[in-house]
Amino acid sequence: MTQDFSLEDDGRDVVLCECYARDGLQHEPQMLPTEAKVDLIHRFAELGFARVEATSYSNPKVVPQFGDASELLRALPRRAGVFYKATCANLRAVQRALADADAGFGANEISLLVSATDTHSMKNLARSRADQWRNIAEMAAAAAGRFRLIGTISMAFGCPFEGRVDPRSVLDDVGRMRDAGVRHITLGDTIGTATPRTTHALFRLMRADFPDVVPIAHFHDTRGTGLVNYVAALEAGVRHFDCALGGVGGHPTKVKYGGGHTGNVSSEDLIDLFENMGVKTGIDMDGLLDAVQACEAALGRELHGRVARSGLNPLRTATPPHGA
């Protein structure tokens, strides 16, 4: 029996967020020129990504890569139906997003971040979870319905400092996000410790407890489990996924955990897999590998995606739909 993966928007079965330009670049020592970022982000939208993580309203002294956030958003050509996301870590960041929106060129989606553990919150955001939750309430109120809000819960599947994370505490965090007015909530496998079993179980509970919340899966491929975890999330009913062309990103360089490969799941690998499962991504397959080459050229090195080296699966059109 074929499962129904249709969404209400344009017939695609899943919605992918391309994260190269923000999560992918946040730890890169190489500073990309604003015009290069604009060209790549525009390419991602033209390729068919319905959501693109464009930049972050970070303090440029802390993350210099995004010191051009407003300049980038002002120069970025827009495509109808595409959400361009900017990450916001505090109230000042939301105020900057509002100022840009008032000027007519801001993001139409912003993300609010919280960690599932206190230790990671202190190391990553320099504030306790309690302080960050107060921050989130202020940020969501300040946004005043001007943006689609994305709540991100990092370390949802395990923490390098505190170990296992209780799924019920993660679900409590989902509830707090929802109470703050956030209806799109991301669970982040920040250090790649999730398994298909834990992934399926947590997202199933999340969908059962909060049917009015849109769950988003964000997995890292630290231990080569990113793709199988995304399939597990898909089978648990998740339809929104984060990924990054070339598998870049993962965490800022200054945060020393998760030694080895820490990057996001490669967009090209995930798209090729989903399409071969009969899951429509809405992505232009003919232009996909050209986009990967552009991303590699921007950073001046070969990136992590396997499909970029092996090519797209040549049997895609002969593959039966997932669940058939």
Side-chain angles (χ1 to χ4, degrees):
M1 180 178 178
T2 303
Q3 297 183 47
D4 181 14
F5 292 115
S6 343
L7 295 176
E8 65 279 4
D9 50 357
D10 58 2
R12 71 181 76 205
D13 298 327
V14 293
V15 174
L16 305 182
C17 180
E18 175 48 54
C19 299
Y20 176 100
R22 204 289 300 177
D23 197 8
L25 294 181
Q26 69 170 338
H27 76 299
E28 291 288 336
Q30 176 183 345
M31 298 291 294
L32 260 62
T34 302
E35 56 271 22
K37 298 178 192 174
V38 168
D39 288 345
L40 287 171
I41 294 167
H42 183 53
R43 180 190 283 263
F44 302 155
E46 292 291 304
L47 201 60
F49 285 97
R51 298 178 59 228
V52 180
E53 196 172 51
T55 190
S56 172
Y57 285 109
S58 303
N59 183 336
K61 294 180 180 178
V62 179
V63 190
Q65 185 74 256
F66 305 123
D68 62 351
S70 294
E71 181 186 356
L72 181 150
L73 290 166
R74 184 189 294 274
L76 182 64
R78 302 307 169 98
R79 183 181 175 91
V82 177
F83 282 83
Y84 298 89
K85 182 172 76 168
T87 298
C88 295
N90 51 44
L91 181 59
R92 172 60 184 144
V94 175
Q95 291 168 342
R96 290 174 61 193
L98 286 165
D100 284 352
D102 287 342
F105 59 81
N108 50 3
E109 183 177 283
I110 62 173
S111 61
L112 315 178
L113 313 173
V114 70
S115 174
T117 69
D118 253 315
T119 308
H120 179 259
S121 184
M122 291 300 299
K123 289 182 177 292
N124 193 49
L125 297 174
R127 63 178 65 90
S128 69
R129 270 172 47 84
D131 286 344
Q132 183 60 4
W133 275 117
R134 284 189 285 272
N135 219 12
I136 286 172
E138 292 177 354
M139 289 190 286
R146 298 283 300 279
F147 314 95
R148 182 160 75 179
L149 299 180
I150 309 293
T152 299
I153 302 169
S154 61
M155 300 297 167
F157 294 88
C159 173
F161 311 111
E162 298 188 20
R164 295 185 184 276
V165 174
D166 184 352
R168 295 309 315 181
S169 72
V170 176
L171 294 174
D172 288 345
D173 284 351
V174 172
R176 294 178 78 171
M177 281 284 188
R178 181 188 176 282
D179 291 346
V182 181
R183 290 297 184 272
H184 290 70
I185 299 177
T186 304
L187 300 187
D189 181 28
T190 319
I191 56 171
T193 54
T195 66
R197 178 177 294 179
T198 58
T199 296
H200 190 277
L202 185 52
F203 275 114
R204 216 173 144 192
L205 287 171
M206 178 179 174
R207 293 188 66 238
D209 288 1
F210 303 99
D212 59 339
V213 165
V214 175
I216 303 172
H218 181 107
F219 287 94
H220 290 182
D221 207 27
T222 314
R223 292 167 179 82
T225 56
L227 289 178
V228 293
N229 287 333
Y230 274 151
V231 172
L234 179 77
E235 292 176 345
V238 178
R239 298 294 174 263
H240 285 63
F241 303 86
D242 291 348
C243 51
L245 286 162
V248 293
H251 61 70
T253 317
K254 292 179 182 179
V255 181
K256 302 297 184 183
Y257 56 75
H261 178 67
T262 58
N264 294 294
V265 171
S266 298
S267 302
E268 60 271 29
D269 294 351
L270 179 62
I271 292 163
D272 190 57
L273 174 63
F274 274 174
E275 291 288 343
N276 276 278
M277 292 171 61
V279 179
K280 298 176 185 176
T281 64
I283 303 301
D284 173 16
M285 300 298 285
D286 292 333
L288 181 59
L289 297 189
D290 288 342
V292 177
Q293 290 179 0
C295 290
E296 292 187 334
L299 292 176
R301 69 176 191 274
E302 185 176 294
L303 299 178
H304 304 296
R306 295 166 179 82
V307 167
R309 310 277 79 86
S310 62
L312 299 171
N313 190 325
L315 304 182
R316 175 164 50 94
T317 55
T319 302
H322 176 62

